[in-house]
Amino acid sequence: MTRLRRVLERWRRSDVTVRDLPLGLLFLATLLLPSFHGTQIGTVPSRPFDATAVLTVALESLPLAVRRRWPALCLALVSLGFAVDQIRGYHSFANTALPIALLSAGAHLERHRRIAAVLFSLAYVPFAVALHRLRVGEPVSEFVTFYLAMALAWGIGSWLRSTRVTDAERRLRIAEDTRTAERTRIARELHDVVTHHVTAMVVQAEAARYLTASPERLDQSLTAVTDTGRRAITDLRHLLDLLNPDHGVQQGGEARTPPAGRLLTLVEQTRRAGQPVEFTEEGTPAESTGSAELVAYRVVQEALTNALKYAHGSRTSVRVRHARREITVEVSTDGDGSGSRTGSPGGSGRGLAGLRERVDVLGGDFTAAPGTTGGFVVRARIPAGVLS
């Protein structure tokens, strides 16, 4: 079976001329069966095969080897052979190659298709006139019927071509949509990872400028910056796995979804950046949450990043509740105006829009709006067990 598969694979990879040649040889082999008759137009009497008949059959058969590479040449040669076959009265079985040549031309001819169809139609007129004069009284309807049958073969080929082109365009469109979706996904992940860590590092570094008189606190602040940078590198490595065909699993078999406890680590990192954060987590995460756990992590991450940017120093509350079928996240900041924005980089709003898209894909709900008593509140209800 392995050898057979190799042979078939090698055959599929071979040139189309090589793959079409057996068809031409098959029609040529009908020379060994002279009693087999093909298409006959009119009543020209049949004659025995001679040397001219051999050349005629070869002219009708062998061009089929190039029916896909040079369909116009194939049609011209086969049509010429067919005309000689009918006028000389050989009526060989090889003349049935004409519909195949017409179908192939309709399916594979890329340029000057209309011109080829018009030339074929015009060439048929003197051919039909010559046959009609050979046998006076032959009904014209027979020639018209034959022409319509050959036109049908061309039409079937054109339909096959349009189907192939449509399918190719559909595949190209799907591939482009897939690439766009993947680029969007990577950009969204990059935004979530880089924005959060860089914001924390900027805030921590700005705070360190005012701690030169306290070496211990300065050392703690710089250590926090270092730790944040290491986490940024780790998360970026997670992100680069998306560019790998096996991006669902990292090296060593570790899943890309943040493991249990990462939310608490995220909160601690934000606290070290100078943001007072109250963290509450209720319930137990389900064994299989699909993409919900990752989306919940990104919601908390983006909300804390915005809190560092726009409400630095203000009290922030993070509540995460795990239910059987969903994860609920709520992140709020106080609006007492005591927060400082020193060193906060500006934002583009892309993060919240990306979160809304993530949650919508899973069929959940997402809101981000000012709180009733000031501040800002981000809420998300994320169905669990759904793969994005």
Side-chain angles (χ1 to χ4, degrees):
M1 291 297 294
T2 303
R3 182 176 298 178
L4 178 60
R5 289 177 182 176
R6 290 178 181 176
V7 172
L8 293 177
E9 183 65 24
R10 186 175 300 176
W11 174 258
R12 283 193 292 266
R13 292 179 180 177
S14 61
D15 188 80
V16 291
T17 303
V18 176
R19 283 180 283 161
D20 289 335
L21 181 59
L23 180 61
L25 295 177
L26 180 63
F27 276 96
L28 183 62
T30 58
L31 280 170
L32 303 176
L33 303 171
S35 59
F36 274 44
H37 291 282
T39 304
Q40 179 177 354
I41 306 176
T43 57
V44 175
S46 300
R47 69 167 64 187
F49 278 15
D50 52 19
T52 305
V54 174
L55 295 176
T56 301
V57 171
L59 190 59
E60 292 175 307
S61 305
L62 295 182
L64 292 179
V66 295
R67 66 185 185 89
R68 284 187 282 183
R69 181 172 293 278
W70 298 304
L73 177 63
C74 172
L75 178 59
L77 295 177
V78 173
S79 299
L80 179 60
F82 181 85
V84 174
D85 181 283
Q86 294 297 315
I87 293 174
R88 297 279 294 178
Y90 297 124
H91 304 144
S92 65
F93 183 80
N95 63 34
T96 56
L98 180 61
I100 297 177
L102 280 165
L103 188 146
S104 300
H108 301 289
L109 188 60
E110 298 295 337
R111 298 189 303 171
H112 309 302
R113 295 175 55 83
R114 293 183 179 179
I115 295 177
V118 170
L119 290 178
F120 175 78
S121 300
L122 293 177
Y124 180 73
V125 175
F127 166 70
V129 171
L131 281 183
H132 184 70
R133 286 183 176 180
L134 287 175
R135 299 295 292 182
V136 179
E138 191 70 30
V140 178
S141 60
E142 184 173 349
F143 296 100
V144 175
T145 301
F146 177 78
Y147 174 82
L148 293 178
M150 295 301 100
L152 177 62
W154 174 282
I156 293 175
S158 298
W159 175 78
L160 291 175
R161 177 181 180 276
S162 63
T163 302
R164 186 176 68 251
V165 170
T166 301
D167 184 66
E169 291 176 349
R170 181 182 62 84
R171 290 175 182 272
L172 182 63
R173 185 169 58 253
I174 292 175
E176 183 62 30
D177 291 344
T178 302
R179 285 192 295 269
T180 301
E182 191 66 13
R183 286 195 296 266
T184 303
R185 178 184 178 186
I186 293 174
R188 190 167 52 207
E189 292 281 348
L190 187 63
H191 172 274
D192 292 341
V193 171
V194 173
T195 302
H196 174 79
H197 291 301
V198 171
T199 299
M201 293 172 67
V202 168
V203 173
Q204 291 165 349
E206 286 290 332
R209 297 172 57 185
Y210 304 98
L211 299 176
T212 54
S214 178
E216 293 184 359
R217 294 182 60 189
L218 176 61
D219 182 70
Q220 292 177 357
S221 181
L222 294 178
T223 300
V225 174
T226 304
D227 292 341
T228 303
R230 290 195 180 102
R231 292 193 186 93
I233 293 174
T234 300
D235 284 346
L236 284 174
R237 286 174 179 169
H238 284 250
L239 177 60
L240 291 177
D241 286 339
L242 290 172
L243 301 176
N244 191 301
D246 301 324
H247 65 265
V249 178
Q250 300 177 21
Q251 294 180 356
E254 182 185 357
R256 184 172 58 88
T257 303
R262 281 291 297 275
L263 282 176
L264 182 58
T265 303
L266 188 63
V267 170
E268 290 294 337
Q269 177 185 345
T270 308
R271 287 171 178 168
R272 284 196 295 271
Q275 189 77 2
V277 181
E278 296 179 359
F279 178 61
T280 304
E281 188 171 15
E282 302 175 0
T284 303
E287 294 183 1
S288 177
T289 60
S291 301
E293 186 176 355
L294 175 60
V295 174
Y297 180 87
R298 294 304 187 200
V299 170
V300 175
Q301 185 181 54
E302 178 66 21
L304 291 179
T305 300
N306 288 337
L308 281 174
K309 285 182 179 180
Y310 310 116
H312 184 220
S314 298
R315 188 179 66 87
T316 304
S317 174
V318 177
R319 296 183 179 87
V320 179
R321 185 172 64 86
H322 298 275
R324 182 180 179 183
R325 297 182 179 275
E326 65 182 23
I327 301 175
T328 305
V329 177
E330 180 178 318
V331 182
S332 60
T333 57
D334 284 349
D336 54 9
S338 61
S340 170
R341 297 194 181 191
T342 303
S344 299
S348 62
R350 183 181 301 165
L352 294 178
L355 291 180
R356 183 171 286 104
E357 292 177 4
R358 288 174 182 269
V359 176
D360 288 345
V361 166
L362 298 182
D365 301 318
F366 178 85
T367 59
T372 55
T373 59
F376 205 77
V377 181
V378 175
R379 295 187 179 91
R381 183 189 62 82
I382 308 163
V386 180
L387 294 175
S388 63

